[in-house]
Amino acid sequence: NAGVTQTPKFQVLKTGQSMTLQCAQDMNHEYMSWYRQDPGMGLRLIHYSVGAGITDQGEVPNGYNVSRSTTEDFPLRLLSAAPSQTSVYFCASRTGMNTEAFFGQGTRLTVV
Amino acid sequence: AQTVTQSQPEMSVQEAETVTLSCTYDTSESDYYLFWYKQPPSRQMILVIRQEAYKQQNATENRFSVNFQKAAKSFSLKISDSQLGDAAMYFCAYRSGLRGNKLVFGAGTILRVKS
């Protein structure tokens, strides 16, 4: 089992560029989420999904889009990157309400 | 909205000694879960321990244990017999039992272990 796989691990973007952070899980988990980690702020929820075809906004959704066409994949799109989106991004998944979240290894994104 | 506060930005402990990391939270809910995650320099988020609010007994996992004080909304992590591999950032996190679609994290505590 690979668990939760995020790609890429590192990325540098120029302001205004777009890109997609990939997240895939092979555990058949219904719940998937994207968080960003900033110094002194812990992790904050960007978007989440409770199943294929269902997504919703989290705490800091502006500037990000998501879709969930399959159970396995939950990509995060930055439409027009801004320096404020420089952060470490984590994808997480879990199977139900009373279960722990499994995290990917994170993507360090720098927007210059 | 729920909040989680970790008041210790950094802590240090001597190898083989015991250290306690503090966490307080604010919620009006009675059904929830609390977690401690460890983040080593590799960046991987590793679940250390979890506590269900309805359980009065404090959770333990080997050298890791919690002191869960529901009335005081406190959830501290005790690490016994500290090892060099325990050095990491530790995050306290809350999840609602009713609307559990997100984890609410504290700001984290950096733990340094001295040999």
Side-chain angles (χ1 to χ4, degrees):
Chain A
N1 267 354
V4 180
T5 303
Q6 285 184 239
T7 54
K9 289 187 171 48
F10 300 92
Q11 182 71 49
V12 178
L13 285 180
K14 293 183 178 179
T15 298
Q17 285 185 318
S18 63
M19 81 159 294
T20 299
L21 307 185
Q22 301 292 344
C23 176
Q25 52 93 6
D26 61 359
M27 298 173 283
N28 203 31
H29 286 174
E30 302 99 331
Y31 295 82
M32 296 187 75
S33 307
W34 276 102
Y35 293 84
R36 60 177 288 172
Q37 180 181 6
D38 301 295
M41 303 188 74
L43 281 72
R44 293 178 293 165
L45 183 66
I46 304 171
H47 285 286
Y48 66 93
S49 169
V50 299
I54 307 169
T55 64
D56 206 346
Q57 296 181 350
E59 191 180 346
V60 287
N62 292 342
Y64 308 96
N65 277 358
V66 292
S67 60
R68 183 100 180 267
S69 56
T70 67
T71 299
E72 294 77 20
D73 300 299
F74 190 45
L76 178 72
R77 296 183 189 84
L78 284 70
L79 303 176
S80 178
S84 61
Q85 294 178 305
T86 293
S87 187
V88 178
Y89 291 84
F90 286 96
C91 179
S93 74
R94 62 185 173 90
T95 188
M97 288 294 287
N98 188 24
T99 58
E100 68 177 273
F102 292 84
F103 284 83
Q105 286 204 301
T107 297
R108 179 175 293 279
L109 175 68
T110 303
V111 183
V112 298
Chain B
Q2 295 83 19
T3 59
V4 175
T5 302
Q6 293 178 249
S7 59
Q8 306 153 317
E10 287 191 32
M11 292 284 285
S12 290
V13 63
Q14 200 69 34
E15 202 175 2
E17 295 190 344
T18 296
V19 64
T20 299
L21 307 185
S22 300
C23 173
T24 59
Y25 58 95
D26 187 26
T27 184
S28 59
E29 298 177 331
S30 59
D31 181 17
Y32 53 87
Y33 304 89
L34 296 165
F35 305 86
W36 278 98
Y37 281 91
K38 171 185 177 181
Q39 186 181 45
S42 67
R43 221 167 51 205
Q44 182 70 48
M45 294 287 286
I46 302 165
L47 179 67
V48 175
I49 201 165
R50 60 177 277 169
Q51 174 82 42
E52 291 87 346
Y54 64 85
K55 290 186 177 179
Q56 292 186 335
Q57 187 171 6
N58 289 327
T60 62
E61 287 289 341
N62 301 315
R63 298 183 294 107
F64 299 87
S65 62
V66 297
N67 184 3
F68 174 47
Q69 301 289 327
K70 191 172 184 179
K73 296 179 183 175
S74 171
F75 183 61
S76 60
L77 175 70
K78 185 171 84 171
I79 305 174
S80 304
D81 186 25
S82 297
Q83 300 174 0
L84 294 177
D86 295 334
M89 175 78 89
Y90 286 82
F91 290 101
C92 179
Y94 169 103
R95 192 174 83 214
S96 168
L98 294 177
R99 293 176 299 277
N101 292 321
K102 72 172 184 178
L103 285 163
V104 179
F105 285 86
T109 297
I110 297 171
L111 178 65
R112 305 191 193 282
V113 181
K114 301 176 183 176
S115 59

